[in-house]
Amino acid sequence: MITTKEFTEFLKDDTRQILALKKANLLKINAIDEETNENIANISYICYVDFAIGATPLSNYEKTKLIGLYDKANQQFYYHRIYSIYEFTQVFDKVAKEVGAISFKDLDRMVKKAIDRRLNSIYQETFIKRAIECRTDSEDEFKKAFMDQRMEGFFETGTTVYGKDNEYITDINAYDYVKLVNDKEYVSELVNDYLSSEGSFYNDKTNLDINIEKYINNQVKLKVERNIELNDEDDIILSLLKNISRVENARTVKVVYEQGHNSIDLDLDVDELKNCNYRSLVSNNYAFPSYAIKTRRGADDFTEMFRSKDNPFGYILVKGIKKVTYGRKTLYEVK
């Protein structure tokens, strides 16, 4: 469809504005300064057009998509991947790599890193530190959220964390990219625009206000979590679910359960166990509901056997779980 050589020649040729492809055209359009309406020297938009102009009766319906910018002075192409044009994109990815294209995502990251630096500088100011120190929050609520987060995290499989990028919605447009390529100092203006603009339609808080509030909340949360004390039942819940989660695709585990002088073997549904949140376990006196038992009859028999004044609904008390196995593998055992 397109070769690296012909694309490179197209970029460097000042007299060519159109590169004809089999089912499309590439256009090279001078970038215009929106304030002066004059050409920005050495910067061009490179666009993809669905149909060759003048070569099809559908030419009135052509769709132009920006695929990048070309900085002639530095002979650098900046690439914007278009996922909707599958056939072209698959081929052009190779061309972009061979010409040493810089992704628009790299420009986004540059702006986001600059926002990070500005915000982190603000976070060190005295009024932010004082706000964190003066906050008093319910440790109980933090503990519930802390435990739920840990419990859910055990069962998150098949995910790889490469390092979370901050989700700053910067709304950078094509003209902003042109100005950024033309003058790297423009990044400061983009940072100012982001921090001073409103974060949503629902309130008049700026992105600066929103990020400061988020930072304070996170720091308060960390301060409380460092001092959270887990009781015996908390430790049992985390140990149980963590060990069960390590068995991929486990649907059922076998449990030895004891309460008082009674003992029973149970088949528990793993999905029912992992779907229990900490709040429900605590409100049930640190117990899993009996419907976690694989069969309805088994649940009825269990409830009948272990219902008591202290356990009126016949739930599966976490302290009553003495051993958990999956096949021949012991996942948890009280020594």
Side-chain angles (χ1 to χ4, degrees), residues 1 20 116 134 181-182 195-196 207 212 220 238 241 267 291 299:
M1 179 182 282
D116 257 346
C134 293
V181 167
N182 199 44
L195 294 177
S196 61
N207 282 312
I212 286 177
V220 171
L238 292 181
L241 297 182
D267 289 332
Y291 56 71

Side-chain angles (χ1 to χ4, degrees), residues 226-325:
R226 288 189 194 105
N227 299 309
I228 283 177
E229 294 184 6
L230 302 182
N231 59 33
D232 290 344
E233 287 91 340
D234 296 330
D235 286 331
I236 291 172
I237 290 167
L238 292 181
S239 180
L240 271 171
L241 297 182
K242 184 175 184 178
N243 289 345
I244 292 172
S245 72
R246 288 173 175 166
V247 182
E248 284 191 34
N249 302 318
R251 293 290 177 261
T252 306
V253 290
K254 291 189 176 296
V255 170
V256 176
Y257 182 85
E258 294 178 6
Q259 188 178 332
H261 299 294
N262 294 326
S263 177
I264 193 173
D265 292 342
L266 301 172
D267 289 332
L268 299 188
D269 188 303
V270 172
D271 284 338
E272 294 294 352
L273 293 178
K274 73 180 184 181
N275 289 334
C276 288
N277 60 48
Y278 182 72
R279 288 170 172 77
S280 68
L281 291 175
V282 173
S283 64
N284 291 334
N285 196 25
Y286 282 95
F288 294 101
S290 58
Y291 56 71
I293 298 171
K294 195 68 177 177
T295 65
R296 186 68 267 155
R297 181 174 179 178
D300 291 341
D301 290 344
F302 177 87
T303 300
E304 185 65 29
M305 181 181 296
F306 292 102
R307 185 188 288 122
S308 65
K309 182 180 179 181
D310 295 329
N311 185 14
F313 299 105
Y315 285 162
I316 307 165
L317 301 176
V318 295
K319 280 191 170 182
I321 297 174
K322 302 305 178 184
K323 187 175 182 179
V324 180
T325 58

